[in-house]
Amino acid sequence: MTMFKAAAIQMRSGTDVGRNAMEFERMVREAADQGARYVQTPEMTGAIVRDREARAAAFTTEDRDPIAGAAARLSAELGIFVHVGSTAILRSDGKLANRAFLFGPDGRLIATYDKIHMFDVDLDKGESWRESSAYEPGDRSVVADLPIARLGFAICYDLRFPQLFRAQALAGASVLTVPAAFTRQTGEAHWHVLLRARAIENGAWVVAAAQGGLHEDGRETYGHSLIVDPWGRIVAEADHDEPAIVLADIDTEASTAAHRKIPNLKNARDFTSEVIADEPAGLRGAAS
């Protein structure tokens, strides 16, 4: 199969996992009713919680997580692929992982992916984030070979590391995924151009479900969930930060066609790097 309908669900997750799980289920059902065979939700679908103690109380292990449990049930009931963009999962070592889940139409867990790149930044206007203080980074790229497409996984800040997406494209991914909770400040500056660049560079579709709006914990996210085709064209967008569902028909043959037109993956060459110092002429041969 080369054609399927994809949905990117835009949410405004709060601090209550149970309430977010109910909204997650409602929106997944709505997307399926609109014909989506693949449904993606944003980063931190389960909850967005800044306070350390509240965060520790909100999240649990993978086998007990209500979002993962609901996704498994819904995928089987609706006969669709459900991609939980991410939720916080308590690891066996007591640390948290920012983890994505993909469930198949039979309810089976196909793949998980732990966010590799931690959002440790100091932005303008005093906005500062240290994701590594709460989460343990992953260390593996993941590509899932599905009947509908070969799917590459990423989460939010991973978007700024093109080598991850290049590795997935070289592994045959025709659809790249970037569920996110971009801040408003960084989203306004870079969200659209980075997503379009990753699509163009790799000749692949990009599906990016986003968090949007002012959250209960005081965080503000950009929204603007997007689906971008392999030529870099935005084919579907939630042009705001309110909860929404955006849908588009994905034709994986468009990825093959983009590779024929711009065969940069095939034309890439290895090279070495050299830094050459420009020594002022008057100092050449001077005694040291």
Side-chain angles (χ1 to χ4, degrees), residues 209-221:
Q211 294 281 355
L214 182 61
H215 299 262
E216 288 178 326
D217 75 340
R219 188 175 327 199
E220 191 171 9
T221 53

Side-chain angles (χ1 to χ4, degrees), residues 96-145:
L96 288 174
N98 188 343
R99 182 168 296 169
F101 295 89
L102 178 67
F103 292 91
D106 57 359
R108 178 175 53 89
L109 178 62
I110 296 173
T112 64
Y113 166 74
D114 288 359
K115 185 177 182 179
I116 293 173
H117 300 98
M118 298 289 97
F119 190 53
D120 291 356
V121 301
D122 296 304
L123 301 172
D124 294 338
K125 303 175 184 177
E127 188 175 355
S128 182
W129 299 94
R130 291 292 180 272
E131 192 173 21
S132 63
S133 68
Y135 298 96
E136 187 71 11
D139 59 6
R140 65 188 180 104
S141 173
V142 175
V143 174
D145 192 8

Side-chain angles (χ1 to χ4, degrees), residues 53-74:
E53 292 184 4
R55 189 166 55 230
F59 300 121
T60 186
T61 55
E62 182 175 314
D63 60 318
R64 299 175 61 188
D65 180 71
I67 298 295
R73 173 173 50 80
L74 286 167

Side-chain angles (χ1 to χ4, degrees), residues 234-277:
I234 296 171
V235 297
E237 177 179 3
D239 191 20
H240 50 72
D241 64 8
E242 296 295 323
I245 299 170
V246 298
L247 299 107
D249 290 322
I250 304 290
D251 184 357
T252 57
E253 285 299 318
S255 177
T256 303
H259 291 157
R260 283 197 299 265
K261 293 175 184 176
I262 309 290
N264 58 313
L265 298 183
K266 184 170 63 176
N267 292 347
R269 291 174 53 84
D270 293 332
F271 55 87
T272 60
S273 296
E274 182 178 1
V275 177
I276 300 175

